Amino acid sequence: MKMKNSNLITKKDLMRTFWRSFTAEWSWNYERQMNLGYSFAIRPALEKIYSQKPEQLTTAYQRHLEFYNVTPWLITFPLGISIAMEEQNAVNENFDESSINDVKIALMGPLSGLGDSFFWGTLRVIATGIGTSLAMQGNILGPLLFLLIFNIPAIIARYFGLFIGYNIGASFIEKVQKTGLMDKLSYGASILGLSVVGAMVATMVTLNMPLTIGSGSDATSLQDIFDGIVPQILPLLFTLFIFLLDRKGLKAHWILLLIAGIGIFGAWSGLLGQ
């Protein structure tokens, strides 16, 4: 696939990122999920972009070690945009570095929704159905077709996503820099990113308090009282509590141990339930 004219990043550089993107989930972790895989994939481009600027290279490494998670077969699209934005950042002193992560995080939710529904919810089911029906008949084509039906579209999406992301990112950034829209874009991306985080709290954090006040038919659980104030307020408050601990500099492993301790004590005392 063709790429925009660049004095620095070449197709060979992007292909190095493409091959490295296959390892995106090899170092998945509970603290920042795909951050190490993302950083590993983008590293060759960063080293070339900031080859004469070691301090900016260090900052770029740190920037891409922040939390990130997306459908793995679509990770190359934000990678391409990130490379284009890093390239602009290296040559433009007035470039807003925070916009690089803002745009990346803003893409996390929409891409994950699209990717999970297509690859996990649709393509995998079709591939499994065809492969299983043949495998049950003893046909060796069963597992082979399963792998081909699923992986060929996934690899195509991964390949073209990188170049489309890079080309769109580079040309779009040039336009918004000239028109002064980058500040508005960064602001909007920040709002979208925080909205994604808020949705994750409501759907992925569970905190239930089964204790009741009153007796008989008049008994009311604490959970219903809190949800009557604001739905899912307990997961929100607990997330804010963990956020404050992180801001205070408490290490991740201590936070995980604290969460486990709260869960064990809550289950033992009856304060927390399933």
Side-chain angles (χ1 to χ4, degrees):
M1 182 175 180
K2 294 182 178 179
M3 55 182 288
K4 73 151 186 104
N5 293 328
S6 172
N7 296 324
L8 191 60
I9 296 298
T10 64
K11 183 176 181 179
K12 183 179 179 180
D13 297 322
L14 292 182
M15 287 304 299
R16 292 182 67 188
T17 296
F18 167 75
W19 291 116
R20 283 174 169 241
S21 72
F22 285 89
T23 69
E25 290 193 302
W26 292 9
S27 55
W28 194 96
N29 60 88
Y30 283 101
E31 182 182 1
R32 300 188 181 185
Q33 301 196 3
M34 294 174 72
N35 70 321
L36 293 175
Y38 198 97
S39 300
F40 178 74
I42 201 175
R43 180 177 176 178
L46 294 180
E47 290 180 343
K48 188 168 185 180
I49 291 171
Y50 298 112
S51 59
Q52 305 299 321
K53 302 175 180 180
E55 292 184 0
Q56 284 187 273
L57 177 60
T58 301
T59 302
Y61 284 152
Q62 294 172 342
R63 179 163 50 244
H64 292 291
L65 284 174
E66 295 296 326
F67 174 90
Y68 199 69
N69 193 41
V70 73
T71 303
W73 304 283
L74 298 182
I75 193 174
T76 51
F77 183 73
L79 276 169
I81 293 178
S82 293
I83 292 172
M85 296 185 76
E86 293 286 1
E87 195 173 6
Q88 292 292 322
N89 181 51
V91 298
N92 188 347
E93 295 181 357
N94 297 321
F95 192 89
D96 181 10
E97 290 186 352
S98 64
S99 65
I100 298 174
N101 263 358
D102 289 341
V103 171
K104 186 173 77 172
I105 292 174
L107 290 172
M108 185 167 60
L111 285 180
S112 295
L114 175 65
D116 288 352
S117 63
F118 177 73
F119 288 103
W120 285 127
T122 304
L123 186 61
R124 184 180 60 163
V125 174
I126 294 173
T128 302
I130 295 175
T132 302
S133 63
L134 291 174
M136 291 179 67
Q137 299 173 18
N139 194 328
I140 188 61
L141 288 177
L144 294 178
L145 280 178
F146 167 76
L147 293 173
L148 291 174
I149 292 172
F150 184 83
N151 284 292
I152 288 177
I155 293 173
I156 290 174
R158 189 185 292 267
Y159 175 81
F160 284 99
L162 178 63
F163 290 92
I164 292 173
Y166 179 76
N167 290 332
I168 290 178
S171 60
F172 180 69
I173 292 164
E174 290 176 1
K175 292 179 181 178
V176 298
Q177 285 285 358
K178 292 178 180 179
T179 58
L181 290 176
M182 181 56 76
D183 290 339
K184 295 181 180 179
L185 174 65
S186 299
Y187 181 70
S190 299
I191 294 175
L192 182 57
L194 291 173
S195 300
V196 171
V197 173
M200 291 173 65
V201 170
T203 56
M204 299 179 67
V205 180
T206 302
L207 191 64
N208 183 30
M209 300 183 70
L211 293 179
T212 59
I213 298 175
S215 60
S217 59
D218 295 329
T220 303
S221 69
L222 290 178
Q223 185 72 36
D224 291 336
I225 294 174
F226 283 111
D227 285 343
I229 299 172
V230 175
Q232 300 293 332
I233 190 174
L234 289 178
L236 175 61
L237 293 176
F238 187 71
T239 302
L240 291 175
F241 170 67
I242 299 301
F243 172 74
L244 291 176
L245 292 179
D246 179 70
R247 295 289 291 179
K248 291 293 184 180
L250 191 63
K251 299 296 183 181
H253 61 276
W254 290 115
I255 293 177
L256 290 174
L257 288 173
L258 177 62
I259 294 173
I262 293 174
I264 294 171
F265 175 78
W268 172 78
S269 63
L271 183 63
L272 299 178
Q274 295 182 349

